[in-house]
Amino acid sequence: MSHDDFNFEPVRGLPEQLPKDEHILWQGAPDPRRLAREALGLRWVAGYFALLTFWRVGVSSADFPFGIALMHGLPFVVSGLIACGILYGIAYVQARSTVYTLTNKRVAMRIGAALTMTLNLPYVCIGTAKLDLKPSGTGTLAFELIGEARISYLMTWPHVRPWRMARTQPALRCIPDAEKVARIFADAAETRISQPQVSRVATHDGDAVAAE
C-alpha cells in the first residue's frame, strides 16, 4: 500500500516506471496558501495574535498616551507575523515536495518534506471519494479505503481528511480546480472497476484455467 521512497524518481511523483498499460491522467499539488489556512490554521493564529495586540493596546491606553500604547502592542504584531510566516513556510515546503498523481489504475501520492513517502492507492481499494469544494475552486478530495489496509494519520498528515483518525482517509488536499480533478478520478475509477478481473486457478488434475 505504501513504501518509503529515497530513490531517484524515473517518473515525476512516482517511484518507478509505469507499466505499459498504465498512463498518467493528471498531476498536481496543494495550493500553499490554502494549505496554510486549512491544514495549519493560519487564520486562527493570525486572529489570536490580533486579539492579543488589541488587548495589550487597550490595557496600556488606560495608563499611557495612545501612541505609547500602540508601541506596547508592537511586540505582539511582530510575534504574530513571525508565527504566520513560519506556518506559511511549512505549508510552502509541504506543497513543493508533494506530487499527487491520477493514473488510469490508481491514485499515487508522493508526500513528505523531510521523510518522503509514496502512497499507492489502487482504485479497487477505494470505496468512496468525498469532495470538499471551496468557493475559490480549490478543494480536498478524500478517499475512504476498503479492506484491511490501514494508513497512519500522523505519518501522512496533512494529506488526510481532517479528524478522521480511527479510519484514516488519505486526501488530495487543497488542490486547485478540484471539481475537474474529481471528475477525472470518478471517470477513471469507474472505468477501472468495471473492467473484468481475470485470475488463474488450479483444478484438481493440476491444469490451470482462467476464471473471472
Side-chain angles (χ1 to χ4, degrees):
M1 201 68 174
S2 64
H3 64 276
D4 289 340
D5 177 21
F6 298 102
N7 299 319
F8 173 76
E9 293 178 340
V11 180
R12 178 175 176 268
L14 299 172
E16 57 188 10
Q17 291 286 354
L18 291 173
K20 292 182 179 180
D21 60 345
E22 186 175 8
H23 57 274
I24 294 175
L25 301 175
W26 172 86
Q27 282 191 320
D31 179 270
R33 290 176 297 178
R34 299 301 305 187
L35 190 65
R37 294 176 187 176
E38 297 181 23
L40 301 178
L42 181 64
R43 285 183 172 177
W44 289 99
V45 173
Y48 171 74
F49 279 98
L51 287 176
L52 285 180
T53 302
F54 284 121
W55 170 80
R56 189 66 182 91
V57 171
V59 171
S60 296
S61 61
D63 300 318
F64 298 94
F66 187 69
I68 296 178
L70 285 177
M71 295 299 296
H72 289 170
L74 186 61
F76 294 96
V77 175
V78 174
S79 298
L81 290 175
I82 292 174
C84 290
I86 291 174
L87 290 178
Y88 182 80
I90 294 173
Y92 180 81
V93 171
Q94 283 283 351
R96 285 293 301 270
S97 63
T98 297
V99 178
Y100 299 140
T101 304
L102 298 181
T103 76
N104 58 317
K105 290 187 174 183
R106 57 177 159 156
V107 178
M109 302 167 59
R110 188 250 275 162
I111 59 177
L115 179 60
T116 303
M117 178 173 63
T118 301
L119 299 180
N120 288 304
L121 310 173
Y123 293 138
V124 294
C125 295
I126 298 175
T128 59
K130 298 181 180 179
L131 175 63
D132 180 14
L133 185 63
K134 304 300 182 182
S136 62
T138 61
T140 293
L141 184 61
F143 308 107
E144 185 175 350
L145 304 181
I146 57 178
E148 299 299 324
R150 294 290 188 274
I151 294 178
S152 169
Y153 188 94
L154 293 178
M155 288 291 293
T156 51
W157 183 89
H159 310 279
V160 291
R161 187 180 181 187
W163 311 114
R164 296 299 194 277
M165 299 181 183
R167 182 76 174 181
T168 302
Q169 297 182 15
L172 309 184
R173 288 295 300 269
C174 306
I175 51 175
D177 206 1
E179 190 171 11
K180 177 182 177 181
V181 177
R183 287 197 300 267
I184 294 173
F185 163 80
D187 292 342
E190 183 178 2
T191 300
R192 175 60 177 167
I193 294 173
S194 64
Q195 292 179 348
Q197 302 297 312
V198 180
S199 60
R200 304 291 295 185
V201 297
T203 61
H204 293 293
D205 56 7
D207 295 330
V209 297
E212 294 188 3

